[in-house]
Amino acid sequence: MESTGISGAEEDQLRGLRVEETKALLSWFISQYPEGAALSCSLQPESIVLISLIRSLGLAVRVFFIDTGRHFPETLRFLSEVEAFFGVSIESWAPLPQEVRSMTEEHGEDLFYDGAMQRKLCCHVRKVRVTERALRGTQLWIAGLRRAQSSERSRVETVVWSPSLQLVKLHPLAGWSDDDLSRYVNDHELPEHPLIAQGFASIGCAPCTRAVAPNEDPRAGRWWWEGGGKKECGLHRDVGHYVI
Ligand code: SF4
């Protein structure tokens, strides 16, 4: 547990308040966009907690998953487990076959190992463009980004306006610590991606994700061959424009 200088009971009280605040935030924003809200689900603990919080409020929003075509088999099996656990249907969105074909014919199936430009192209075709299609007509995009996830995400705001997508983007867990997240998962006995137990702290596509050491930056296991620098795929490029 992170050292905060306050007692365990006070920590618990603050954690309870944070959960209530997050529920209030979700409830208010979803009520503003009852038909136009969508949650992107990466199947990582943040998404599982958000599904749990939304369901605990008796609210229903679209939940979608981006099936890049390069996921671990464990991820696809876990998708069915999560649907069964919550009794929800998660939309699966895939890249357009002709876009994948034209990319792989020109650059090869595993182009991402050839350089950052090629990696970003693959993420663009298999994730970014698919997400843009999945979000068409959406007014409120709910995503699980947290400031504690990595140095790149340390400035994530709770609510932003995305000029590129022309929608409000809500990060209800922006201020949650790693402890907040794991305590909520444990207290509510939520399902967990099976690869987490094998040291995978941030799980993306199989060829681009490896396990990390206990004290390593969780995002260090993503595109590790690129070394330092920004470890993002381009999905969450609008994170710093306040709307409230
Ligand atoms: S994470 Fe890797 S395989 Fe997945 S879309 Fe990005 S570059 Fe392609």
Side-chain angles (χ1 to χ4, degrees), residues 38 40 131 135 139-143 165 167-170 235-236:
S40 52
T131 304
L135 287 170
Q139 297 160 295
L140 174 68
W141 175 13
I142 305 168
L165 296 165
L167 48 69
V168 175
K169 191 154 179 256
L170 182 65
L235 267 188
H236 302 290

Side-chain angles (χ1 to χ4, degrees), residues 112-214:
F112 31 83
Y113 294 135
D114 294 339
M117 288 300 289
Q118 290 89 332
R119 195 271 290 172
K120 284 176 185 164
L121 172 66
C122 185
C123 282
H124 188 73
V125 169
R126 291 187 183 272
K127 290 183 180 176
V128 179
R129 285 179 61 75
V130 191
T131 304
E132 286 168 355
R133 278 196 291 123
L135 287 170
R136 219 165 270 162
T138 300
Q139 297 160 295
L140 174 68
W141 175 13
I142 305 168
L145 274 69
R146 292 185 301 118
R147 287 191 279 276
Q149 277 175 317
S150 67
S151 48
E152 290 99 49
R153 295 192 175 178
S154 62
R155 295 175 62 194
V156 165
E157 304 290 359
T158 303
V159 189
V160 302
W161 169 251
S162 168
S164 54
L165 296 165
Q166 291 288 297
L167 48 69
V168 175
K169 191 154 179 256
L170 182 65
H171 306 128
L173 307 181
W176 283 40
S177 67
D178 294 348
D179 275 345
D180 293 335
L181 197 75
S182 57
R183 285 286 289 273
Y184 188 95
V185 168
N186 292 336
D187 290 352
H188 294 81
E189 299 181 344
L190 299 180
E192 215 169 46
H193 194 300
L195 291 178
I196 292 175
Q198 295 178 36
F200 287 76
S202 171
I203 303 161
C205 295
C208 302
T209 308
R210 65 158 170 78
V212 293

Side-chain angles (χ1 to χ4, degrees), residues 6-16:
I6 59 174
S7 71
E10 287 168 330
E11 284 265 15
D12 286 345
Q13 211 174 3
L14 282 176
R15 193 167 283 119

Side-chain angles (χ1 to χ4, degrees), residues 89-111:
S89 176
I90 299 177
E91 296 171 13
S92 211
W93 286 74
L96 296 174
Q98 63 269 32
E99 291 189 0
V100 173
R101 200 166 41 247
S102 117
M103 174 181 75
T104 54
E105 278 175 5
E106 187 177 350
H107 300 282
E109 200 60 44
D110 291 342
L111 67 161

